[in-house]
Amino acid sequence: MLKPGLNLQLGQTLTMTPQLQQAIRLLQLSTLELQAEIQQALESNPMLEQVEDDDANAAHESAAAESEIVEGDRLEATTTHDDVIPEELTTDSRWDDIYEPPPAPKGVDDRDPLENTSDDDGEGLQDHLLWQLHLSHLTPRDQRIGAALIDAISPDGYLEGDLETFAETISRGEDEPVGIDEIEAVLHWIQQCDPLGVGARDLRECLEIQLRELAPDAPARDAARAILEHGMDSLGKRDYKALQRQSGVRDPDELAQALDLIRTLNPRPGAQISSNTSEYVAPDVYVRHDHDGWRVELNPEIAPRIRINDLYAGMVRQVSDARDSAFMRDQLQEARWFLKSLHSRNDTLLRVAEAIVRRQQGFFEHGEVAMQPLILRDIAETLEMHESTISRVTTQKYMHTPRGVFEFKYFFSSHVGTQDGGECSATAIRAMIRELIGDEPPTKPLSDARLAQILADRGINVARRTVAKYREAMHIPSSSERRQMASMPTGNK
């Protein structure tokens, strides 16, 4: 029988306070996200202010004082001339009517400054094609068909969709149904636009469009068109014997010239015009080598320096209104916690970076072949932190080294056992495979089994399928494909 009652229990629970949640969130932010977070805190919390460079402020004040002196001297000099400003001016008078400005220095552009700025607005492929469409002499009906086709062109320049679907869709907004022949005519016009080859429905059509625009007497033009028309599959497989048989190009020199011509064509014409802007990585830490060894430093430019505003902080006790006083105290406490979380983030980031550099010192001195196996648990145990903390720190954080810029997670990799009981990292094995393939004889490429045997001779136990997986991850062709590439005819014979 159930009876109501009271029980007293003692236990421990972990409570995620708002301050702890803020510290965790700042820890996993990237550099750009952290800058946006700091900017938002500066705008929302009056207790925070950005620290200005003292030297810059002093120079600015000195320059301002000198400017006042110069302006004073200039004012005294101008009053000695006849160009004295009258005490009363008409309401519609202009400064040029009273004082004639000195002529502009020779070579200075007197146009609107906005006209001299860059006009790069990130135009995309669709905008570029629509601009050409609006300048054309097509009928309004054909322009509407062209706009619908342009909207279906991928960033690489290929038309996505079939003409029957386009005909059905475009006909809904027209008084008369749109025929397939009309769409093909407009599509043919689009394919002649810049960039050449845009609007193609497959790779063969894209390359054929570019070949048709070449001069009729261009070397190997007809042979290249025959290869694209009859031997596209063999070309992709690099089966040159079948390619000669299918295309009818028997002469090896002519075949080599045709292949060289095809290589000059652009399989992705739309990529020439892209609205995507390059994004540059801002490193979180710098790794340098000096007489004391490898040194790790935080990047001072990744985030603006902020501090507590002394003026507003001193007003907390002076405010008499209870509501205003409570608001200012809360803002001051949030500002202090925010600064503490930022300091904790930078300290943790620096400690993790230093631990990684110590473990991967061989990489910095000898390259990828000396990379040591490393997992998150190793760094967590070294720094006495939780693995989740190390995972947050190493995500979207970058390290600038003499060998390049790398993400923190790049230095973590799985390991493979060696014959002497040791371990070798997967990154080092991939570097060895790439080095072995780079030094192999072109006519006798190393198979995956042979690569596994060479690694086994070096004491690294790795299976053939593992070698194949690493090779494919590095986008290296198989041994048979590399042999075909080595035997591929060239035009330099």
Side-chain angles (χ1 to χ4, degrees), residues 184-193 195-226 228-229 261-262 264-266:
E184 288 182 346
V186 177
L187 179 60
H188 178 74
W189 181 91
I190 294 176
Q191 291 175 349
Q192 311 308 313
C193 292
L196 190 62
V198 71
R201 284 157 286 189
D202 52 37
L203 177 60
R204 182 176 64 181
E205 185 179 16
C206 176
L207 300 180
E208 287 179 345
I209 293 171
Q210 300 177 51
L211 283 177
R212 285 200 301 264
E213 295 302 318
L214 296 178
D217 57 348
R221 173 177 177 267
D222 295 336
R225 295 186 64 179
L228 295 180
E229 182 177 358
L261 179 60
I262 293 176
T264 62
L265 306 179
N266 189 355

Side-chain angles (χ1 to χ4, degrees), residues 411-448:
F411 299 96
F412 296 86
S413 63
S414 58
H415 63 274
V416 175
T418 59
Q419 294 180 358
D420 57 358
E423 296 177 346
C424 183
S425 71
T427 303
I429 295 176
R430 285 194 293 265
M432 295 179 188
I433 294 174
R434 184 167 54 247
E435 182 180 353
L436 291 173
I437 293 178
D439 297 337
E440 69 183 3
T443 57
K444 294 183 179 180
L446 300 174
S447 63
D448 295 336

